[in-house]
Amino acid sequence: MHAFHGTPLVRTSRPHPLRRFAGVAAASLFVLSLTACQDGTGLKDGGAASASGSAAEATGGPATTAAPSTAPTSAPATAPAPKTSAAPSAPSGAGERVLCNGSTTRVTAQPVSRPLNHMLITVKNIGSKTCDLTYHPVLRFDEMQWVPAARPETRPQAVVSLAPGEEGYAGVLLSAADGSGEGGTTGHRLTIAFQGRTPLSDGGASATPDLPAAGIAYDSSLTVTYWQRGSADALGS
C-alpha cells in the first residue's frame, strides 16, 4: 500500500448532542416567560400602570402636583357688640307737651259786665300733661257761615302753656258799643275749635260750652283775642 503523504487530516469537534438539547430547552423557557408577561397568565405585568397611579405615570409624562384648594376658610366670628344700659325713663308727663283741646281741657264761655258787650272764654287743663294753647280760638255760633277775625294786637310773645290745673283765657267782642255793627242776631250754641302747630290747622277735639238760656247776642263786629295767660289781658282791662 502506498502511504498518503501531505497535509495531515484535522479532526473537527462536533457539538455534543446533550449540550444542544440543553440550549434548546433554555431558549424555550425564555419564550414561555416572555409570553406570560404579555398576556397576564402566570406572572404579573410590571409595565402596566396601577389603578391608583396618575395619568402621567401611565403615559410616561411628568407627574403634576394638584393645585391647593382656593375655597375660602370660614371668617372668624366677630365679637358681640357691648351691651349698653337703657337710658332711665322720664317720669310720667315730664318733658311731654300736648295740644290743649276739648279732650284735655274744660271750657266755659260767660258774658261779662265790663267791658260792655264782651264774653270771657276760660280753658282749664284737666289732663296730666302740659298743654299748649296755640294762636286763638275759632268761634262758630249755630250755623254761621263766616269766621270771626282775631285781633292781631293781642298776639302774645310766646305760646301760652298750661300745666295741669292751670287756666288760659280769650276775650270776645260780641257787638260794637256804638251800634255800628250789622246783622245782629242771637246765638244759642257755640262751638270753639282749637288750632294745631300751624295756623288754622286741626288741633283736635273742639268744645261746646254751655250758654245762658237766653243765648248770646252778637253782630258783624264779632272778634276774638289770641289766647292769654290772664283774664285781664283777654278783656283788655
Side-chain angles (χ1 to χ4, degrees):
M1 296 178 60
H2 292 282
F4 291 96
H5 297 281
T7 304
L9 297 175
V10 179
R11 179 179 296 178
T12 59
S13 62
R14 300 180 62 185
H16 196 279
L18 184 56
R19 292 178 179 175
R20 291 182 59 188
F21 177 80
V24 172
S28 299
L29 289 175
F30 176 77
V31 172
L32 291 175
S33 175
L34 181 60
T35 303
C37 291
Q38 292 175 349
D39 63 5
T41 58
L43 297 175
K44 180 179 179 181
D45 184 359
S50 63
S52 61
S54 65
E57 292 175 345
T59 58
T64 59
T65 303
S69 173
T70 58
T73 59
S74 299
T78 57
K83 295 182 178 179
T84 57
S85 58
S89 59
S92 177
E96 298 179 5
R97 307 176 77 88
V98 297
L99 291 172
C100 297
N101 56 39
S103 65
T104 58
T105 62
R106 180 171 62 246
V107 182
T108 61
Q110 293 292 332
V112 295
S113 58
R114 296 288 180 190
L116 292 175
N117 307 327
H118 277 69
M119 181 175 68
L120 180 66
I121 299 174
T122 303
V123 175
K124 183 176 182 178
N125 183 358
I126 59 173
S128 60
K129 301 176 182 179
T130 298
C131 71
D132 293 333
L133 281 170
T134 55
Y135 306 105
H136 55 84
V138 179
L139 308 182
R140 185 185 185 191
F141 281 104
D142 301 319
E143 303 299 325
M144 66 187 302
Q145 300 299 311
W146 53 283
V147 177
R151 300 202 293 271
E153 71 275 11
T154 65
R155 183 168 186 169
Q157 295 296 318
V159 173
V160 174
S161 297
L162 304 179
E166 291 185 335
E167 294 180 342
Y169 306 89
V172 181
L173 173 61
L174 296 171
S175 61
D178 59 2
S180 59
E182 299 177 352
T185 188
T186 300
H188 295 277
R189 176 183 172 86
L190 174 64
T191 301
I192 300 175
F194 295 82
Q195 300 185 57
R197 300 295 181 184
T198 56
L200 300 180
S201 61
D202 184 9
S206 59
T208 54
D210 293 333
L211 297 179
I216 300 291
Y218 67 94
D219 62 18
S220 60
S221 301
L222 182 65
T223 57
V224 65
T225 68
Y226 280 74
W227 292 112
Q228 305 295 323
R229 174 67 64 180
S231 60
D233 295 329
L235 295 174
S237 58

